[in-house]
Amino acid sequence: MRALVIGEALIDIVERAGEVDGDGGTEYVGGSPLNVAVGLARLGRDVDFLTHIGTDARGRRIADYVKASGARLVAGSTTAARTPTARAMLDEHGSARYEFDIDWQLSGTPEVRPPLVVHSGSIATALEPGCRAAAALVDTYRTSATVTFDPNVRPALITDDDSVRGRIDRLIERADVVKASDEDMRWIDADRSPEDIARTWLSLGPSIVAVTMGGRGAFAVCAAGEVRVPAFPVDVVDTVGAGDAFMTGLIDALWTLNLLGADRRRDLARISIETLTDVIRTAAMSSALTVAKAGAQLPDRTTRDEALKSAILG
């Protein structure tokens, strides 16, 4: 009954609009898959996290952060020559533009129990050479696990657009649950609507395709149809980690409903509109609570569930 999250961990160096040049920015532990691993652990889930960081000061900070959350860093995750960084430049609305310094590699099969759910995405599934190993591990664990995938496209790191689009398509075919942003979809195909792309992806094999749209909320498609959930009103500090919080809430909600694991694949495929609406609402609240704070500070279960209850009851 554990999750396995595969992907990058790094230090976000956040520079905010209006800060004096040369300040250097504020450093936060980050990385999309890391945020999902930590977010699930904060919700009380048992999580193994496979990544590629160094043993330098930044790497030790990441390792301590993962441990403090309750997640377990998988052996072999600390072999990088240096710990990756992402410089996030925030505009006056809190939206981020990134510059990366990352070497992404994986080797071998991690020594973990067969997981209930395996999650990957973002840089881990796009950047050579580690993306090939990440995709192979997803295939390996699909026999026991629900596969969740978030492409979380990082154009600043992509040198071959068509190659990355092909990798995204192949992972979607293997995934049970896909989450993407409307920005991801505009990069993937600017000539089609997110709704059209989501329905195409659904036809490739997933049971659920969810799409986040910032302040316009989120929608999701499944075999039973489409659901839409508005964004919860919140004062946005920054959007760092918003999509990762949504992904975390989505996985956790399906876990609570006992819809994860390869043996529950048919049940997941038959999810109802009413149930999916509740799932997406839970994910949206996780995201709302995260953007209300600086950095990717994903909520714990008590905070999220109380906020969700309050919002529903008015």
Side-chain angles (χ1 to χ4, degrees):
M1 299 295 291
R2 299 181 67 87
L4 173 62
V5 179
I6 303 167
E8 71 274 7
L10 45 79
I11 295 293
D12 283 322
I13 305 169
V14 180
E15 298 180 356
R16 301 178 186 280
E19 289 184 339
V20 178
D21 289 343
D23 283 353
T26 304
E27 295 195 1
Y28 300 93
V29 174
S32 177
L34 175 140
N35 290 336
V36 173
V38 167
L40 286 171
R42 286 179 176 170
L43 292 170
R45 302 301 186 183
D46 293 326
V47 184
D48 295 313
F49 179 47
L50 176 64
T51 190
H52 186 60
I53 58 175
T55 56
D56 51 16
R58 284 171 168 163
R60 292 193 299 272
R61 181 178 176 185
I62 290 171
D64 290 344
Y65 183 81
V66 170
K67 182 179 180 181
S69 76
R72 186 179 76 94
L73 195 64
V74 175
S77 292
T78 57
T79 59
R82 68 183 184 280
T83 296
T85 61
R87 189 169 294 275
M89 288 149 284
L90 303 179
D91 63 21
E92 62 274 17
H93 304 295
S95 296
R97 178 172 58 86
Y98 291 91
E99 293 179 357
F100 295 91
D101 178 13
I102 181 170
D103 173 36
W104 172 242
Q105 299 187 44
L106 290 175
S107 61
T109 301
E111 296 181 3
V112 298
R113 299 175 184 174
L116 184 73
V117 55
V118 58
H119 173 77
S120 193
S122 193
I123 296 169
T125 53
L127 186 64
E128 294 276 10
C131 63
R132 298 180 185 275
L137 288 173
V138 167
D139 272 345
T140 295
Y141 290 112
R142 191 175 186 273
T143 57
S144 73
T146 296
V147 174
T148 65
F149 172 55
D150 177 4
N152 199 9
V153 177
R154 301 301 192 190
L157 279 171
I158 296 172
T159 57
D160 185 339
D161 294 3
D162 289 340
S163 177
V164 171
R165 289 188 180 102
R167 290 179 188 136
I168 289 172
D169 284 345
R170 287 189 291 275
L171 279 162
I172 287 169
E173 291 171 355
R174 307 300 290 163
D176 299 292
V177 178
V178 177
K179 172 265 163 192
S181 69
D182 54 353
E183 290 182 354
D184 293 332
M185 290 185 158
R186 280 194 293 273
W187 182 88
I188 289 166
D189 190 342
D191 296 327
R192 299 171 64 199
S193 70
E195 290 81 1
D196 188 22
I197 296 172
R199 286 189 288 269
T200 298
W201 286 359
L202 190 72
S203 72
L204 297 177
S207 295
I208 297 170
V209 177
V211 181
T212 58
M213 302 181 294
R216 295 183 293 121
F219 74 89
V221 293
C222 65
E226 179 181 313
V227 305
R228 289 185 177 268
V229 172
F232 290 100
V234 65
D235 292 327
V236 177
V237 175
D238 67 49
T239 61
V240 177
D244 307 326
F246 188 97
M247 185 81 252
T248 300
L250 180 57
I251 294 170
D252 176 70
L254 295 172
W255 202 328
T256 297
L257 293 167
N258 195 27
L259 289 175
L260 298 184
D263 61 342
R264 303 309 302 270
R265 200 160 266 138
R266 287 186 179 181
D267 294 322
L268 182 63
R270 292 194 292 261
I271 192 169
S272 69
I273 290 295
E274 294 77 14
T275 300
L276 184 56
T277 300
D278 290 340
V279 167
I280 300 303
R281 188 178 289 119
T282 299
M285 178 55 77
S286 295
S287 185
L289 292 170
T290 300
V291 302
K293 296 182 178 181
Q297 300 186 51
L298 279 66
D300 59 31
R301 183 171 301 282
T302 299
T303 300
R304 189 203 62 194
D305 289 356
E306 287 182 354
L308 190 60
K309 181 179 179 182
S310 177
I312 292 172
L313 295 178

